[in-house]
Amino acid sequence: MRLLESAGVPIKSALAGAIVALCMSTSAFAGERVIFATTVPQNESNLFWGGTGERLPSFQALVGHDPITGKYDNSELAEEWSADETFTEWTFKLKKDAEFHYGWGPVTAADVLHSYELTTGPDSTINSLELLRAQSVEVVDDHTIVFKFDTPRTDYAFQHAGRGSLVIYSKAQYEVEGLDGYNTRPAGTAAYQYVERKPGVGVTFERVPDHWQGEQPDFEVLEIRYVQEQATILALLLSGEASIASIPRELQGQALDAGKKVISSKNPAMATGAIFNGMYGKSGDPAFNPDLPWSNVLVREAMNRALNRQEMIDVLYDGRAEPAVSWLMDSRNEGFVPELFDRFEEMYGYDPEKAKALLAEAGYPDAFADPVIPIVSSTLNGNPEFPVMSELLQVYFDAVGLQTKIVEMDWPTLGSMGRARESYMISPVRNAPLRPTEAALVNFHTERGTPYGGFEDDKIEGLANTLEATIDPDKRHAIAAEGFTYLFEQYADMPLATVHAEVAVDPTVVADWTFPGVTTNSVSHWHLIKSAQK
């Protein structure tokens, strides 16, 4: 840790004084209220398609997840779903007893179509919109809807599950109240219903009486409280002002010392690392900038060689994470290449002297019109470690002679720059949850994917397109494996770790929370927060 300490990087005890000063003496708990303190979202909105794609606890999608295994199940609005033999037609059959909150009536296929049209409309900022959009959508009857495509969609259920692109709003509410109704008191279908939003403060929900699924959350009121500073979040937990807190692992020790408890997702929730934004390398792409230092593969290798990944994992995740050789490849998904683990140390291993030699071979800094490398520092729900990750990247890069600067930027601004094809900077990144292979490659390595895009060129675009059009499992595996191997050999990103999601709780208030780690911000299954008083 000498490198980090000499550079002034904050380690676990650095915030202790500030935290003590921030602690308050009174408790906000009254009755059956549970308060979850987390960082301020980048776009506070009740409109799922106009926000960050993180759905409120009051909403449901078509496809659910088992709370332990994370596998798809019918715990949300669809009773069943299936694809035809060509995977170009997907049919979803809705549960007949599903009801919207506040008396807005039963859930029908018309509500699904209405929500789909809003989500795929011109105001949508959903990242993976192209993977949701169908060639046509047909309402067969009140409880049957069919999505049709001109190419195969082998895992379209993913787009309707916890990390998917569609949650269901009431068409009846829209017809009476318009978007004002959604902004004021949107009707969802989950076991908690929306009460109010106070911008910059938080959102409150209440338990639904006689919920149509028979679910009865332990807590009458659920409050998500937004807090800007991590030290303040910890202070709220320590003082009893919050009973659940999303805090970096570097602060968890202080919570544990105070008698708090850490609860982890049942499955790995994400893979993290950093990406080379702005690598628009397809033939003739006007957005390509050859003067970017990381447009040179030697510089990309040098930046990877500069990173002491084990030290980063120790600092960011208290050692409780598994090293990753790719932040998109997962052993549970098609295309997994175990041989890349055998090659990782040779190609990516921490070697500052090798990094310096590679930079010299690339002619850095003189060969580049602007050798300064901007590193985005931003907060993101579910990833409280990201600002510290940016600081660590700067420390390691500076140590091998790279010129850097930290750029404070909120996540929507980075997304807007990505959509404009102008995001020429380095940034921390997550694959949360660990997406199916096809969705991962399309989202992050093709022009039609997420705005938080990385490396693009003709080869990876072609492989992603071929994968989409292929049904045979063996051929799909081979195509995906070729893609992951190619990205690995091109040093297309800077992989770091596979991580479980963790929250700290007050065990006198919260006994347990079972969530599988399958959503954007990793937490879900809010109705399974268990009271210590019951």
Side-chain angles (χ1 to χ4, degrees), residues 432-447:
L434 295 162
R435 292 169 173 83
T437 294
E438 181 181 308
L441 292 177
V442 171
N443 271 337
F444 293 104
H445 292 290
T446 72
E447 184 175 353

Side-chain angles (χ1 to χ4, degrees), residues 3 7 9 302-303 306-307 352 355-356 359 364 371-375 390-406:
L3 171 63
V9 175
M303 293 171 75
L307 302 181
K356 293 175 183 178
L359 292 176
Y364 183 91
V372 177
I373 297 173
I375 304 171
S390 296
E391 293 181 36
L392 292 177
L393 292 173
Q394 184 176 47
V395 169
Y396 290 124
F397 293 159
D398 288 353
V400 299
L402 289 160
Q403 301 174 27
T404 63
K405 64 179 179 181
I406 294 289

